[in-house]
Amino acid sequence: MTDAFDFSEASDEFLAAATRLTVDLNAVASNWRDMAKRSGRARAAAVVKADAYGLGIEDVGRTLYHAGARDFFVAVPAEGATLRPYAPEARIFVLSGIWPGSEHFFFDYDLVPVLASEEQLAFWMSAVAEHGDHPCALHVDTGFNRLGLSVEDALALADDVSRPASFSPVLVLSHLACADNPTSPMNRQQLESFRRVSAAFEGIDSSLSASAGIFLGPEYHFDLTRPGIAVYGGEAVNGAPNPMRPTVKAEARILQIREAKAGECVSYGASLKLARDSRLAIAAAGYADGYQRSASGSGVALRQTGIAGACGFIAGHKVPVAGRVTMDITIFDVTDVPANTIAVGDYIELFGPNMPLDEVARAAGTIGYELLTSVGLRYERHYNETD
């Protein structure tokens, strides 16, 4: 795979960093447009919670707004306040809803709370009575047992002719539990439940599908889709080829290259005993940087299951993690990389265009979402935007 990242305009700080993260904003925009097209007649929102999945809500939000996104979803009010200057005319929905003390965010930054409980509904009614009418959204649980009113309570609310006129939802939404498994019967069950809710709130936009749900087809799209992980290049559907462009490259600088003899041990716990004379690259990233300990090449419980540890990528070669990942350091076996092609100060790709995010995540026993959003603050960021 060709490395598409260009460092020609990177700052000196970025080029000298111990760990660095390159974000391809063109790929982010391209992936969002792809998901918007797959959404058919539905509008596509952009989910930018968790600091845009670890890539930076300011730059990513601006990019997606310029790409055409006019509906955004964040997790908490402070994220919405951060996003607002970069998406000035967008609707910004806050998935965690509202609670006492947070109401100023919604009125000061024109955010839309996603109300998920009777308590939130009651508090919202008191807030709009004080501040004036303001749009809201309604979250309905259709089988996930996470956030949301029950279907029965939502239907009762829709039929309640005595509800205050100031209760003015602009969106009713739910979330699929098993959309990443297209054959799961849970998908159809939740779809049928949500159809009842959507019909009860006639004239109000409905939204059911995030990234994986979009791939389930048009009947899951309703009025608004909510692509998230696919926009950032991650796999949305289990066991299917990933059609999205990679958007990020995480790298760690090589601090030392050392020779080790067959029979010597590597890293904490001496869990790896070398079977051959080896060259080891000591890289400046560890679990404090989001490169998870469970990705270790040995010495963690996951390796007992037969799943191999993670690899990095350098000089055209995949290089396996040797021994345990530590807090600030990961050791890679570079014995099979020609010695004259790498040197101290070079960077090993932890995940990116040559070392797919989800492949590394599977080696760590997790998903690309967790690996991406775990990227630590110690990474210097650089944004490529050439289109």
Side-chain angles (χ1 to χ4, degrees):
M1 185 179 294
T2 301
D3 184 346
F5 291 95
D6 176 15
F7 299 108
S8 59
E9 297 182 3
S11 68
D12 291 343
E13 291 82 2
F14 179 79
L15 295 174
T19 51
R20 63 188 191 184
L21 197 70
T22 310
V23 181
D24 187 342
L25 293 175
N26 298 319
V28 171
S30 175
N31 287 343
W32 181 82
R33 293 188 187 103
D34 185 310
M35 295 305 285
K37 184 177 180 180
R38 292 176 190 272
S39 298
R41 289 182 291 182
R43 301 189 317 280
V47 180
V48 293
K49 60 184 180 177
D51 197 27
Y53 286 55
L55 304 191
I57 193 170
E58 297 93 341
D59 289 272
V60 170
R62 173 181 54 82
T63 295
L64 293 173
Y65 185 77
H66 288 165
R70 289 298 179 268
D71 296 277
F72 288 80
F73 285 83
V74 297
V76 294
E79 290 180 334
T82 300
L83 175 63
R84 174 53 73 197
Y86 305 94
E89 297 183 10
R91 292 193 302 183
I92 301 175
F93 295 89
V94 179
L95 289 164
S96 61
I98 189 169
W99 56 88
S102 68
E103 58 268 34
H104 70 95
F105 282 106
F106 296 91
F107 298 100
D108 292 349
Y109 295 95
D110 191 21
L111 309 179
V112 183
V114 180
L115 307 176
S117 67
E118 296 288 351
E119 293 84 359
Q120 287 192 345
L121 278 166
F123 181 70
W124 180 245
M125 291 300 96
S126 66
V128 295
E130 178 180 350
H131 295 273
D133 289 354
H134 193 84
C136 65
L138 193 67
H139 196 154
V140 181
D141 178 64
T142 53
F144 202 126
N145 272 312
R146 196 170 62 168
L147 282 175
L149 292 172
S150 69
V151 170
E152 292 72 22
D153 286 345
L155 294 176
L157 182 63
D159 290 337
D160 184 1
V161 295
S162 65
R163 71 175 187 258
S166 57
F167 175 64
S168 52
V170 295
L171 182 70
V172 58
L173 64 92
S174 190
H175 194 67
L176 295 164
C178 302
D180 56 355
N181 177 8
T183 64
S184 172
M186 187 75 172
N187 296 326
R188 178 62 56 175
Q189 293 168 20
Q190 287 191 262
L191 174 63
E192 296 304 326
S193 292
F194 190 65
R195 279 175 170 163
R196 293 172 61 204
V197 174
S198 178
F201 287 91
E202 185 178 1
I204 296 173
D205 283 352
S206 300
S207 179
L208 178 62
S209 290
S211 292
I214 293 170
F215 287 98
L216 291 176
E219 62 184 333
Y220 288 85
H221 294 168
F222 290 86
D223 301 298
L224 183 71
T225 62
R226 310 188 305 272
I229 189 63
V231 172
Y232 306 100
E235 293 178 4
V237 181
N238 296 335
N242 183 5
M244 313 315 294
R245 288 174 57 179
T247 64
V248 61
K249 181 179 182 180
E251 299 173 287
R253 185 180 289 276
I254 297 174
L255 303 178
Q256 183 181 14
I257 298 174
R258 61 184 307 120
E259 306 287 337
K261 298 294 185 181
E264 293 182 354
C265 297
V266 179
S267 198
Y268 281 123
S271 60
L272 174 64
K273 187 175 183 179
L274 294 172
R276 61 176 179 173
D277 291 350
S278 303
R279 279 185 300 116
L280 304 174
I282 318 302
Y287 54 76
D289 305 286
Y291 197 68
Q292 298 178 4
R293 186 176 183 272
S294 56
S296 298
S298 59
V300 295
L302 189 61
R303 298 291 80 85
Q304 299 171 14
T305 68
I307 300 173
C311 290
F313 187 90
I314 190 169
H317 292 75
K318 283 187 176 182
V319 290
V321 174
R324 288 180 181 162
V325 174
T326 70
M327 182 181 290
D328 311 292
I329 296 290
T330 300
I331 303 166
F332 292 89
D333 186 337
V334 295
T335 308
D336 296 326
V337 181
N340 63 349
T341 63
I342 60 173
V344 169
D346 290 349
Y347 287 89
I348 288 180
E349 182 181 315
L350 305 179
F351 57 83
N354 304 293
M355 196 64 251
L357 168 71
D358 290 280
E359 183 177 327
V360 178
R362 279 189 288 272
T366 186
I367 55 177
Y369 300 71
E370 183 176 13
L371 184 59
L372 194 58
T373 58
S374 297
V375 171
L377 295 176
R378 293 193 292 189
Y379 287 82
E380 288 288 332
R381 286 180 184 162
H382 172 65
Y383 294 92
N384 284 344
E385 191 172 22
T386 57
D387 287 357

